[in-house]
Amino acid sequence: MSANPSERLDAVTHAIERAERIAGRAKGSVTLIAVSKTFPAEDAEALIAAGQAVFGENRVQEAKAKWPALKETHPHVELHLIGPLQSNKTKEAVALFDAIHTVDREKIAAAIAAECARQDRRPALFVQVNTGEEPQKAGIPPREAVAFVARCREVHGLAIAGLMCIPPVEDEPGPHFALLKKLAREADVAGLSMGMSADFETAVSFGATHVRVGSALFGTRPKPDSA
Ligand SMILES: *Cc1c(COP(=O)(O)O)cnc(C)c1O
């Protein structure tokens, strides 16, 4: 891995552009979310200085400690929640995040809808699908995903931007990305949040619109945390 953040960002950006080209997709059709979880604000700031404007965090508390000051100095920066959301954190999440990738149950959809109305905020919303049907993993089961998106719209009045998945670590990711794409088509949503450091190029070839890349940009995390 290259020595400094700006070289790492260049390497990942070029890899995405190459994957876009090979897949016959327009340059810039994939948004890179730089996942700064477990890394300090200075590391995120170094990437902002290198030109990165979209970041992801997986814990509301950690993001609250790190990002309000960064957002104040860099108002153009967009922050995405990519980790599980508890309903008692919905108020803080809607206030801080520009996108939430982990809408996965009725209760959280209702809580987000209520907070969006109260705060007059409209974060972009992705429904997380548990494509590997892993018991320990968040996300709605694939067979319920399309109906859940419909309920988000019809019952809760939420606009859903897309679907998100985290394939099981031991599986080939391709079939999971293909399943997510098929479900997105059925649910009539355009966004596909899929692909991490190990498989973002594969995800781009399967149509990812958002890739969530942490370690390839920031280095190895002290503790593995794939949640
Ligand atoms: C940590 C995390 C990522 C980034 O993982 P890397 O392998 O470090 O790129 C992506 N998505 C989610 C949901 C994560 O929790």
Side-chain angles (χ1 to χ4, degrees), residues 14 48 52 59 65 90 95 101 106 127 132 162 179 223:
H14 287 136
I48 296 172
Q52 177 63 22
R59 292 203 168 85
T90 310
H101 290 237
E106 202 77 36
V127 166
L179 172 59
K223 252 190 301 168

Side-chain angles (χ1 to χ4, degrees), residues 69-111:
L70 280 173
K71 279 189 122 184
E72 187 126 341
T73 29
H74 309 283
H76 70 289
V77 162
E78 215 181 83
L79 192 60
H80 292 224
L81 178 64
I82 60 165
L85 178 58
Q86 306 314 127
S87 44
N88 64 357
K89 299 266 167 58
T90 310
K91 182 178 175 183
E92 293 166 308
V94 167
L96 181 60
F97 290 95
D98 302 293
I100 298 173
H101 290 237
T102 49
V103 182
D104 67 349
R105 57 199 189 278
E106 202 77 36
K107 190 181 173 191
I108 212 72

